[in-house]
């Protein structure tokens, strides 16, 4: 839980200190890579660490991940310019990729299925607590101490986790994956292919247009590398990303459903704060409170989900959860303009409760269909698909939002509005410079864009329902405890 707290707290604490970081180091044009660089590194290494944990054991991978995260945190605190900070965040992400999947795998290793919901619920509480405490800690440190302390605070947590795991964690002797030559060619190929794809999705529509030479080149190169990786993995004795991950229906169904989860999560996590600040004219703190309502109900729902899946099964519990999520996401589009703040907060609270019924049963179900020697790879593939879903979702939803705003600006019935989508945030930050009717029109345009985003998220939730009903078995084949 300390290790999980490292990753969760880091993600929540850094965002609030961005203004101070940019003010000190400069580099406003590339500051988004403080987050994107970390995400790229942690996502594309998930399959690699999953396979290594099945081959070498969980403990060595966990110790390596904590050590890299610790070193990256220390170097981030000493960064002398934005380029150095981004590079050290990538190093941090290399450690974070080892921690995310391995901690989830350990929950299945160390606790039998009947005890696992309690442990997973506690881990969800860690995420929720970090989501609530992180922004406050980051703001306080950036304002009253120095932004570098947001990275230094990781050091005591990492050292404590490192000491406890090194001293007290003893893995039972189990039949591990056949020890052979590590598939370094596959590991490098997956890293390069995934890195190019995610880089193209993160930068497309932001740094350059989608239909431009950089986008086409990056997407084309990732496709070519994907074919090459598939060829290498088919011939490897111990592939990093084995084909059975997609040939087994239960695992393939969960992978696709978790990809849909990542896609739909973009709407509440990325666009709800924009809606709260731009449309409802709330402060950043108030917008954060609305968004955090989801992190309050999610772990509470996870605590009680065992009572649902023990009655109806893993699959049907997940179908109920994501089906409710589809209705809740659709309900957002029915909110009046302007909505009262409690209305989107209620949407987020209900959405967190629904997704708590969806995610946890699927993770436990898919982990229970494999033995110890395949559990790390399976868990990593599920988390990898969720992360890729979020990246693809951010690109798609961003394109939808930009198209909606561009169309509304082109059809504006009054002068004085921004000509380009990129100028909308600045205009909303200084509404006094606009005529009242122009400011209202711009806020309505943003509300329409966010409505379209939530429609897209609803479609993703419906797709997850379809995948589970068509591909996932009604009763997952649970193996005996190993």
């Amino acid at each position: 839980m300390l290790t999980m707290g490292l990753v969760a707290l880091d993600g929540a604490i850094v965002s609030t200190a961005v203004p101070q970081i940019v003010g000190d180091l400069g580099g406003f044009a590339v500051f988004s890579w403080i987050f994107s660089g970390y995400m790229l590194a942690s996502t594309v290494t998930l399959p690699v660490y999953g396979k290594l944990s099945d081959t070498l054991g969980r403990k060595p991978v966990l110790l390596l991940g904590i050590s890299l995260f610790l070193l990256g945190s220390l170097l981030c605190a000493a960064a002398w310019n934005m380029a150095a900070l981004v590079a050290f965040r990538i190093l941090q992400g290399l450690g974070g990729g080892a921690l995310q999947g391995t901690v989830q795998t350990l929950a299945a290793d160390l606790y039998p299925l009947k005890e696992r919901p309690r442990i997973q619920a506690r881990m969800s509480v860690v995420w929720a607590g970090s989501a609530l405490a992180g922004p406050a800690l980051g703001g306080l440190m950036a304002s009253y101490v120095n932004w570098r302390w947001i990275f230094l605070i990781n050091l005591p947590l990492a050292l404590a986790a490192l000491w406890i795991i090194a001293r007290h964690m003893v893995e039972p002797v189990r039949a591990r994956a056949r020890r052979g030559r590590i598939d370094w060619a596959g590991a490098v190929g997956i890293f390069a292919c995934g890195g190019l794809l995610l880089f193209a999705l993160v930068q497309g529509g932001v740094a350059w247009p989608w239909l431009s030479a950089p986008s086409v080149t990056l997407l084309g190169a990732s496709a070519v590398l994907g074919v090459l990786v598939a060829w290498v993995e088919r011939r490897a004795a111990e592939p990093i990303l084995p084909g059975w991950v997609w040939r087994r229906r239960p695992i393939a169904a969960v992978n696709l459903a978790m990809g849909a989860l990542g896609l739909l999560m973009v709407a509440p996590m990325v666009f709800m704060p924009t809606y709260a600040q731009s449309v409802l004219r709330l402060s950043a703190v108030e917008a954060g409170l609305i968004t955090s309502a989801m992190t309050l109900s999610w772990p509470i729902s996870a605590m009680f989900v065992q009572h649902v899946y023990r009655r109806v099964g893993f699959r049907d519990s997940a179908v109920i959860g994501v089906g409710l999520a589809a209705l809740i996401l659709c309900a957002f589009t029915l909110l009046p303009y302007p909505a009262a703040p409690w209305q989107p907060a209620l949407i987020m609270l209900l959405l967190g409760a629904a997704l708590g019924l969806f995610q946890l049963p699927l993770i436990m179900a898919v982990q229970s269909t494999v033995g110890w020697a395949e559990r790390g790879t399976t868990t990593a593939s599920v988390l990898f698909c969720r992360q890729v879903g979020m990246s693809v979702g951010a690109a798609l939803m961003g394109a939808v939002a930009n198209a909606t705003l561009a169309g509304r600006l082109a059809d504006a019935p009054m002068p004085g509005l921004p000509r380009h989508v990129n100028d909308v945030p600045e205009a909303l930050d200084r509404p006094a410079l606009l005529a009242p009717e122009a400011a209202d029109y711009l806020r309505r345009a943003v509300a329409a864009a966010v409505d379209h985003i939530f429609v897209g998220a609803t479609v993703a939730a419906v797709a997850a329902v379809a995948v589970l009903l068509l591909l996932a078995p009604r009763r997952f084949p649970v193996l005996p405890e190993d």
Side-chain angles (χ1 to χ4, degrees):
M1 291 175 73
L2 272 174
T3 305
M4 178 70 76
L6 274 175
V7 180
L9 185 63
D10 182 80
I13 201 173
V14 174
S15 59
T16 54
V18 165
Q20 289 77 13
I21 294 174
V22 173
D24 188 13
L25 301 181
F28 179 80
V30 296
F31 85 88
S32 63
W33 277 96
I34 298 174
F35 308 100
S36 300
Y38 180 95
M39 182 193 70
L40 285 171
S42 61
T43 300
V44 299
T45 53
L46 274 168
V48 178
Y49 287 125
K51 182 62 178 180
L52 289 178
S53 75
D54 285 340
T55 305
L56 306 176
R58 321 295 185 214
K59 186 174 180 177
V61 174
L62 202 56
L63 293 175
L64 173 63
I66 296 173
S67 300
L68 287 175
F69 196 91
L70 179 65
L71 177 60
S73 298
L74 189 60
L75 291 173
C76 283
W80 53 90
N81 57 33
M82 187 60 73
L85 181 60
V86 169
F88 299 146
R89 282 287 286 171
I90 291 173
L91 178 61
Q92 244 190 334
L94 295 177
L99 302 184
Q100 291 183 58
T102 309
V103 169
Q104 291 282 358
T105 306
L106 273 172
D109 286 348
L110 301 178
Y111 296 93
L113 185 58
K114 63 181 180 180
E115 295 183 23
R116 213 172 297 156
R118 174 172 55 88
I119 301 304
Q120 290 280 8
R122 290 181 179 179
M123 291 165 64
S124 296
V125 170
V126 171
W127 277 100
S130 300
L132 292 174
L137 283 173
L140 288 172
M141 289 179 179
S143 300
Y144 297 104
V145 189
N146 189 282
W147 63 264
R148 299 179 188 275
W149 281 93
I150 67 173
F151 297 107
L152 293 176
I153 197 175
N154 292 330
L155 303 188
L157 293 175
L159 289 172
L162 200 62
W163 181 81
I164 292 172
I165 291 169
R167 184 176 178 85
H168 296 289
M169 181 181 167
V170 178
E171 293 190 80
V173 178
R174 291 185 171 98
R176 299 182 178 177
R178 183 163 57 89
R179 184 75 65 88
R181 294 183 60 186
I182 296 176
D183 179 23
W184 292 116
V188 172
I190 290 170
F191 189 89
C193 176
L196 284 178
L197 174 62
L198 293 179
F199 183 76
L201 294 174
V202 168
Q203 293 295 91
V206 179
W208 48 70
W210 283 109
L211 297 178
S212 63
S215 284
V216 172
T217 300
L218 287 170
L219 291 173
S222 66
V224 172
L225 277 175
V227 173
L228 182 61
V229 167
W231 182 81
V232 169
E233 294 295 88
R234 284 174 62 89
R235 286 156 178 76
E238 293 293 330
I240 291 292
L241 196 61
W244 55 258
V245 168
W246 293 103
R247 287 195 297 268
R248 298 181 192 176
R249 280 184 57 195
I251 302 176
V254 172
N255 282 344
L256 291 174
M258 293 297 281
L261 172 64
L263 197 153
L264 73 86
M265 285 292 292
V266 172
M269 297 305 295
V270 176
F271 288 93
M272 180 61 83
T274 299
Y275 172 83
Q277 293 182 70
S278 299
V279 178
L280 304 185
R281 290 182 280 183
L282 300 177
S283 68
V285 173
E286 291 169 329
L289 289 175
I290 288 177
T291 306
S292 66
M294 184 172 69
T295 65
L296 292 176
S297 57
W298 193 315
I300 294 173
S301 176
M303 290 180 187
F304 297 101
V305 70
Q306 59 180 311
H307 301 296
V308 179
Y309 72 68
R310 283 175 179 169
R311 289 179 180 271
V312 302
F314 290 120
R315 188 200 73 171
D316 289 348
S317 174
V319 168
I320 292 171
V322 75
L324 290 173
L327 295 175
I328 295 164
L329 289 164
C330 186
F332 176 85
T333 64
L334 304 178
L335 293 181
Y337 174 87
W342 67 266
Q343 292 172 320
L346 178 61
I347 293 287
M348 296 295 283
L349 193 69
L350 295 174
L351 184 61
L355 294 178
L357 296 175
F358 171 63
Q359 177 176 270
L360 186 55
L362 289 184
I363 291 178
M364 291 193 298
V366 78
Q367 288 177 332
S368 301
T369 65
V370 295
W372 187 96
E374 296 177 339
R375 192 171 291 144
T377 298
T378 301
T379 304
S381 73
V382 169
L383 298 179
F384 178 75
C385 288
R386 187 185 66 186
Q387 293 292 98
V388 171
M390 291 187 70
S391 300
V392 173
L396 291 177
M397 303 293 192
V400 169
N402 289 339
T404 302
L405 283 174
R408 295 300 174 98
L409 293 176
D411 298 335
M414 74 280 294
L417 287 169
R419 295 184 177 182
H420 302 289
V421 172
N422 290 338
D423 299 327
V424 170
E426 183 180 356
L428 288 171
D429 285 340
R430 296 188 292 176
L433 299 180
L434 297 175
E437 62 274 12
D440 183 70
Y441 182 88
L442 195 56
R443 283 192 290 270
R444 286 181 181 273
V446 173
V450 177
D451 279 349
H452 291 171
I453 295 303
F454 273 80
V455 170
T458 304
V459 172
V462 172
V465 172
V467 164
L468 292 174
L469 291 178
L470 295 176
L471 292 181
R474 185 177 180 84
R475 298 289 177 184
F476 276 73
V478 177
L479 297 183
E481 301 289 345
D482 51 354

